Amino acid sequence: DRMMKNTIFLLLFVFALFACEDDDSAFDPSTEGLEIKFTPVAGGAMMHYNLPNNSDIFAMNIRYKDWQGLDVLKACGYSGDSVLLDGFTRSQEGIKAQISFVNQNNEESGAMEYQFSTLDSAPWSFFDDLTVRSSWNGFQVIYKSPSVVTGMVHIFYLGTNPLTQKEDTILMSSFPITQQGDTLSFIQKQERSSNTIIVRTEDFHGFRVRQEIYPDIDAFRAEQWKMSASDFNDFGLSKESAKAKTGVEYLFDGELKGLERLIASAYEDKDSRQGTEVYGAYLAGPNAYRKPMILDLREQKTPAWIRIYCLYPILAQHAVGQATWGNVWIGSYEDKVPCKISVYGNSTSSDPDDEGWVYLGQLDQAPEREAVTKRWSRLTTDLASAPKDVDDLETKNPIYVDIQFPPVNNKYRYLKVLVLDTFDTSREDGINRNQQEYFTLQELEVYVKKD
């Protein structure tokens, strides 16, 4: 019995001895010189630090729990001076962090407790400056973004599932939140008069952060509004010619690419060097800049946009010399194509000088030759894409640009169109071949909101 007691006492003494030795050898460096400061940021906090000047310290560990209560470990060392403590969605205060030192043997010191605060994360604050609004044939999502950017956005609308034919959420787009923000336009294939839009955000771990629903967003479905020469008044600007096939009638004849010109070019007398005088287009001038053209929609409509077309590149010389309007074209077409146009609406008056005109929208492209590759009509000089014959022309997409108007429910009967400038494509010789300010349109279409 006594021997058993002695043995137990001896074992306890040995354990105590080892425990004392462990205490003596535990990694417990001085914290003198340690500086720690927390700055709240979106989705977390930035921890700024200065480690003690101690060769025993290799690194520092920071432990905390994220917004889901999951353990997070961050490590930092002498090579830096800050570390991001992320993993949060909402702004919070009093989040506890345990901070400890680590030596070369990966032995860790006892922990010191600190507290920090956070700001709303990008996936949460995304909604603070978010606009979901109507757009033609769909909707727009406009957002600005915080300084620290993390997370994904998913855009849905309530539509018909094509597989089940039942109402379902239809995904339109998924994208990461970007620092500069963005304006996104969505055109829907499913035709609906109004929409319910669902915007959902998640963090980069795939966890949903926030969702908001935006009901009754007017879809502003648009349709082409049939126009004819009798609905158009340019107060005598049009250069009418049956021979050259120019005039107001060609502005609304449905021929968008230059079929008349292609057919005529097959019979061009190359020896006469007069070029092909046939255009099948509208030609206005001289001094046609800033002169009004009035479109009568015949009833009150919400205008959506006007679409203007230019000639498809056709392997034919443009008219010069004694050819009809040769003194207008002077062998050059692209410098008669508009680059700046303003459009106005009026509910009651077709008088261009009436005070009731409301600005609707504009085309505004640089006229300079240096910007020629960006012009909407650039394909008109791309002879490599010129059609070989009529059948080939039918396979080509027309060249056009839309001048869009705001999706608001204001109705107008009359539209006023002012061409302010055309592209300056003067060649290397520097000669301006449109000093008299002519312009041409292959076709003009009007689109309005469906009632």
Side-chain angles (χ1 to χ4, degrees), residues 135-289:
S135 181
W136 290 107
N137 295 323
F139 59 95
Q140 271 189 337
V141 174
I142 304 165
Y143 74 93
K144 296 176 183 176
S145 188
S147 54
V148 177
V149 177
T150 58
M152 294 286 295
V153 182
H154 306 287
I155 309 291
F156 305 84
Y157 75 94
L158 210 56
T160 304
N161 186 319
L163 299 177
T164 64
Q165 297 303 311
K166 293 181 179 178
E167 194 169 71
D168 201 353
T169 49
I170 311 296
L171 178 65
M172 289 294 280
S173 180
S174 295
F175 53 89
I177 300 171
T178 59
Q179 189 143 1
Q180 66 273 19
D182 208 348
T183 297
L184 304 158
S185 296
F186 299 98
I187 294 176
Q188 296 159 279
K189 292 178 181 176
Q190 293 185 15
E191 187 162 328
R192 307 174 79 84
S193 59
S194 67
N195 288 302
T196 296
I197 311 302
I198 300 110
V199 181
R200 182 184 301 162
T201 57
E202 62 182 38
D203 61 24
F204 279 141
H205 298 293
F207 294 110
R208 184 189 296 190
V209 174
R210 189 173 173 183
Q211 176 175 292
E212 299 290 343
I213 297 172
Y214 302 85
D216 302 320
I217 304 294
D218 192 332
F220 276 83
R221 305 302 301 190
E223 63 181 350
Q224 187 178 347
W225 190 247
K226 188 67 178 171
M227 302 290 289
S228 68
S230 61
D231 305 317
F232 178 84
N233 184 4
D234 66 359
F235 306 94
L237 281 179
S238 178
K239 305 294 286 184
E240 300 282 329
S241 168
K243 188 178 181 188
K245 295 190 174 179
T246 59
V248 174
E249 65 178 287
Y250 297 99
L251 200 53
F252 306 102
D253 66 350
E255 204 296 294
L256 310 177
K257 307 176 196 176
L259 178 63
E260 302 276 9
R261 183 163 179 76
L262 179 63
I263 293 170
S265 68
Y267 303 101
E268 181 183 314
D269 181 359
K270 302 294 190 275
D271 294 330
S272 74
R273 299 188 178 180
Q274 298 297 301
T276 299
E277 62 187 359
V278 173
Y279 282 82
Y282 174 75
L283 178 64
N287 304 312
Y289 293 0

Side-chain angles (χ1 to χ4, degrees), residues 3 19 38 64 73 97 105 126 130 145 159 205 222 267 271 275 284 364 384 398 406:
M3 190 161 180
F38 298 95
Y64 61 92
L73 169 63
N105 300 321
F126 175 83
L130 175 69
S145 188
H205 298 293
Y267 303 101
D271 294 330
D364 187 10

